Amino acid sequence: MEETDVDFWFDPSCPYTWVTARWLTEVARVRPITLRYQVMSLSVLNEHLEVDPEGDTGGYLWMPVRVCAAVERHHGQDGLRRFFTAYGARVHEHGDWDFGTALTEAGLPAELAAAASDESYDAAVRASHERGISLVGKHIGTPIIAAQGTAFFGPVISKAPRGEAAGRLWDGALLVAATPGFHELKGIPHQPPDLT
């Protein structure tokens, strides 16, 4: 089976995106994919709305994406993957939003936490966000996956499948997304993320 490049746009604050990221990590164990992390932002996505569906009136959600942009700028894809993995586990599994600790756990300089309040990273966040959104349209959210010439939102899952079940979901998602004219597929009402 030929190696597949997969671009994964994520906002690190979204718990469902974290579950999708855990699923993709599992997919990489059972399918020949090369996973590349790309930053997107719920703040950018929702900035034109009168009411922010995330309830982030203080702009806090800008902070983690700025740190992600700084990590990628200074430490590349591997650094971004390591930071998102450490930060995602701290935030979504333990409720700890400490950038510095996550950076240290990822083997990165804790000083990069200062990027959280550095608006000079906003242009990089916006550019990456736009690359992802341009593939699927502004009517969706996080995450976005692009692979094998197609792109799609999601899958939004409450629990990450493991092993071959993760691979089957991957195969099915690609098959459905690549179908000409495909637009949307929804399941039962969502359940809270199962982060175990």
Side-chain angles (χ1 to χ4, degrees):
M1 202 180 260
E2 190 174 318
E3 190 84 10
T4 298
D5 290 332
V6 178
D7 288 293
F8 171 63
W9 277 268
F10 69 96
D11 184 307
S13 299
C14 175
Y16 289 101
T17 297
W18 174 245
V19 176
T20 302
R22 298 303 87 216
W23 164 65
L24 284 173
T25 300
E26 190 69 12
V27 171
R29 291 182 351 92
V30 297
R31 295 293 185 270
I33 69 168
T34 300
L35 187 56
R36 295 183 300 228
Y37 291 82
Q38 314 286 344
V39 179
M40 70 178 296
S41 169
L42 288 168
S43 296
V44 173
L45 187 70
N46 298 326
E47 66 187 349
H48 69 286
L49 301 176
E50 191 171 309
V51 176
D52 184 341
E54 308 305 323
D56 184 33
T57 56
Y60 181 82
L61 294 180
W62 272 104
M63 298 172 81
V65 294
R66 287 175 182 146
V67 175
C68 285
V71 168
E72 184 174 26
R73 179 178 297 168
H74 299 289
H75 297 278
Q77 270 291 303
D78 183 59
L80 181 57
R81 177 191 54 78
R82 292 190 337 256
F83 172 67
F84 177 50
T85 300
Y87 180 71
R90 293 196 77 73
V91 168
H92 302 298
E93 296 173 20
H94 305 292
D96 179 358
W97 293 70
D98 185 342
F99 305 119
T101 304
L103 286 160
T104 300
E105 286 178 357
L108 298 163
E111 300 80 46
L112 286 172
S117 56
D118 186 345
E119 293 181 5
S120 71
Y121 288 101
D122 291 4
V125 170
R126 287 179 183 283
S128 180
H129 177 92
E130 187 54 39
R131 284 191 301 273
I133 288 293
S134 71
L135 298 173
V136 292
K138 296 178 191 265
H139 64 290
I140 56 79
T142 176
I144 297 169
I145 295 173
Q148 296 183 353
T150 191
F152 52 94
F153 163 63
V156 177
I157 50 179
S158 296
K159 184 170 179 67
R162 306 277 186 227
E164 187 54 27
R168 285 193 305 273
L169 178 55
W170 173 252
D171 299 340
L174 285 181
L175 177 66
V176 169
T179 300
F182 169 74
H183 173 70
E184 186 172 21
L185 177 69
K186 288 192 173 186
I188 61 172
H190 73 274
Q191 299 171 340
D194 181 343
L195 304 172
T196 58

